[in-house]
Amino acid sequence: MPFLGCCKKRNTMSLASGHNLVSLEGEELARQERDWQGYSEGIVRLHPGRWLFPSTFKRFADEYYNFKLKPDDVVLLTWPKCGTTWLQEIMWTMRYNPDLNNPMAAAPVNARVPFLEMDTLLKTKNIDPIGPDHPLMQGFKKMCPGREPENGVFLQMCELAPEPRTFKSHLALPLLPTDLLKTSKAVYMARNPKDAVVSFFHHSRIFKNHDFKGTFEEFVQYFLDDDCVYGPYWLHLKEAWKQRKNPNLHFMFFEDLKNNNMEELKKLDKFLGTNLSQEQLDNVAHYTSFAEMKARDAVLGAGSEIFFNVDIVQKDGGFFRQGKVGDWKGKYTPELEAKMDKWIKKNLGDFGIEFKYGV
Ligand code: PPS
């Protein structure tokens, strides 16, 4: 991509991670702003990688990269909609609530397993300012006494979360601290792209901070062009796949977690060293099943009209949509499916990764 030649003309910035951040301009920006009305302060792209973010990413990018990790941290990583919330709840239950008697289980998920870069995603004119009485801000005040929200509500919650800390991120490995897999443990979960894109389309319509206004066909085109926030699906996956033999990274698939749940929980138990009994593992499986998590939507999906387009939620469902493998079937026109299959084939070509339940 002829990036270097054009950067002088553009609004650029160098990041601690070594990336050049470029603000989108002209037609490209106009198209994004028309279709994604949540990104009201502009959009940036990071090179190399073409990682895409709302421009509020600028404010915190170096802090994410320089985030101080601790040896007993567990960091949960996925591309959006590949099951992090499920993983969050599994990890937290394994580490802090295997007997299902921890009263903190009723606390909002962000107060237990904070989301590293969520501050980047929340600054939008579509979201009313979150007042000091909102449970999120109450949780922040409790976890981060004396800290200023302007310096990152979620970032500081990650920093000051009770140890051992578990937190999540959708950032690709090159944007995260270089010592991540030396200092701490990480779990990366992959999900087949056809289900991930159906889920992300729904997410982008229900959440005001994305507020996608286009059709499913247009959304898929954004995805295929690597023009969705968080950027290239394949590169994200590839960066983690390269590290799959690193003893501090556990690489897993949404589809396996769904189809062989107990087997996958046992692998996680081994990786974490939590040494859970069968009864405790059964507790985790039950408590983190789709039905149980959906029933706790108010805690896990943070369903309030501050964040959600309530009319779409009422019509098409909320955060816990289907939780299925292969739900994409019947959602694509034959032409769109053929386009996606071509894209998948091209990208899988030199990869070596296998989605064994099909893509
Ligand atoms: S986000 O918003 O990017 O953090 O979304 P993320 O949590 O990564 O992914 C959301 C999808 O995971 C599904 N989900 C589950 N599936 C099965 N079992 C359980 N317990 C579960 N919890 C969440 C959720 O429903 C989203 O997928 P779709 O296909 O939209 O249902």
Side-chain angles (χ1 to χ4, degrees):
M1 118 136 319
F3 163 67
L4 287 173
C6 60
C7 66
K8 279 203 185 103
K9 283 190 272 162
R10 292 196 182 180
N11 182 5
T12 70
M13 180 177 151
S14 297
L15 300 179
S17 58
H19 293 84
N20 271 307
L21 178 150
V22 183
S23 299
L24 298 196
E25 294 175 338
E27 268 176 38
E28 194 180 11
L29 179 65
R31 174 171 161 255
Q32 284 270 0
E33 286 187 337
R34 182 197 66 210
D35 291 338
W36 301 85
Q37 296 189 3
Y39 312 151
S40 50
E41 297 181 26
I43 296 175
V44 296
R45 210 190 275 285
L46 275 54
H47 301 270
R50 299 187 78 246
W51 311 110
L52 193 87
F53 295 100
S55 68
T56 39
F57 186 74
K58 266 187 222 173
R59 161 73 180 84
F60 294 110
D62 287 351
E63 292 181 59
Y64 299 146
Y65 187 71
N66 291 322
F67 189 82
K68 294 261 170 307
L69 290 155
K70 298 180 185 176
D72 53 8
D73 286 340
V74 176
V75 187
L76 310 177
L77 303 171
T78 71
W79 202 78
K81 308 317 288 181
C82 296
T84 16
T85 312
W86 189 11
L87 202 51
Q88 268 176 288
E89 205 58 355
I90 289 174
M91 287 295 174
W92 191 82
T93 310
M94 281 186 152
R95 296 188 98 188
Y96 306 97
N97 194 24
D99 297 316
L100 305 184
N101 56 5
N102 187 335
M104 266 297 278
V109 70
N110 266 303
R112 297 186 274 117
V113 188
F115 178 7
L116 183 68
E117 72 278 7
M118 185 65 186
D119 295 292
T120 290
L121 297 174
L122 271 190
K123 283 250 159 58
T124 150
K125 68 175 181 325
N126 291 10
I127 293 182
D128 297 331
I130 302 164
D133 296 334
H134 190 277
L136 175 63
M137 297 311 290
Q138 292 293 325
F140 169 73
K141 261 202 323 219
K142 209 162 144 200
M143 204 188 268
C144 311
R147 295 290 188 101
E148 294 300 329
E150 288 69 32
N151 295 329
V153 169
F154 292 86
L155 180 65
Q156 294 181 91
M157 280 166 92
C158 282
E159 186 190 336
L160 300 179
E163 294 177 29
R165 303 181 301 184
T166 309
F167 57 92
K168 83 164 192 177
S169 173
H170 294 310
L171 296 178
L173 279 172
L175 306 178
L176 288 164
T178 44
D179 69 335
L180 174 59
L181 299 180
K182 289 189 195 94
T183 306
S184 343
K185 289 188 172 179
V187 180
Y188 187 95
M189 187 147 81
R191 188 180 192 189
N192 81 75
K194 285 185 181 161
D195 277 332
V197 82
V198 168
S199 183
F200 202 17
F201 173 63
H202 175 70
H203 180 102
S204 303
R205 293 177 72 241
I206 59 172
F207 277 97
K208 287 182 180 173
N209 60 332
H210 300 286
D211 216 8
F212 182 73
K213 297 295 186 194
T215 62
F216 180 60
E217 282 69 17
E218 286 163 344
F219 189 92
V220 172
Q221 196 57 53
Y222 272 100
F223 181 68
L224 300 184
D225 293 340
D226 298 331
D227 276 343
C228 291
V229 287
Y230 285 103
Y233 167 91
W234 291 110
L235 186 56
H236 197 287
L237 196 56
K238 227 174 223 176
E239 292 291 349
W241 184 248
K242 278 197 297 206
Q243 296 290 341
R244 69 193 180 284
K245 295 198 175 129
N246 186 316
N248 282 337
L249 181 88
H250 180 71
F251 192 103
M252 62 190 291
F253 291 86
F254 182 102
E255 291 76 15
D256 287 332
L257 188 59
K258 186 78 192 175
N259 289 324
N260 306 309
N261 190 251
M262 186 50 68
E263 209 178 294
E264 292 302 311
L265 293 185
K266 284 184 178 165
K267 287 185 201 162
L268 282 171
D269 178 49
K270 195 163 167 218
F271 176 68
L272 293 176
T274 30
N275 270 319
L276 301 187
S277 66
Q278 187 57 53
E279 190 185 348
Q280 289 173 320
L281 287 166
D282 289 340
N283 285 344
V284 175
H286 172 72
Y287 195 67
T288 63
S289 69
F290 184 75
E292 288 290 312
M293 285 183 57
K294 191 175 167 114
R296 299 198 300 279
D297 193 17
V299 171
L300 297 169
S304 91
E305 71 265 20
I306 296 186
F307 300 111
F308 284 88
N309 285 318
V310 175
D311 51 332
I312 304 180
V313 170
Q314 278 165 357
K315 194 164 142 272
D316 296 337
F319 184 86
F320 293 94
R321 205 184 52 87
Q322 294 285 339
K324 288 183 184 156
V325 175
D327 179 60
W328 62 267
K329 288 177 189 145
K331 303 242 173 2
Y332 293 76
T333 60
E335 296 75 33
L336 200 58
E337 195 182 330
K339 203 184 221 184
M340 188 119 178
D341 283 339
K342 202 169 151 204
W343 178 81
I344 289 170
K345 200 167 163 213
K346 176 171 148 255
N347 282 288
L348 275 182
D350 61 342
F351 206 125
I353 196 170
E354 190 197 352
F355 288 95
K356 58 176 180 273
Y357 298 95
V359 276

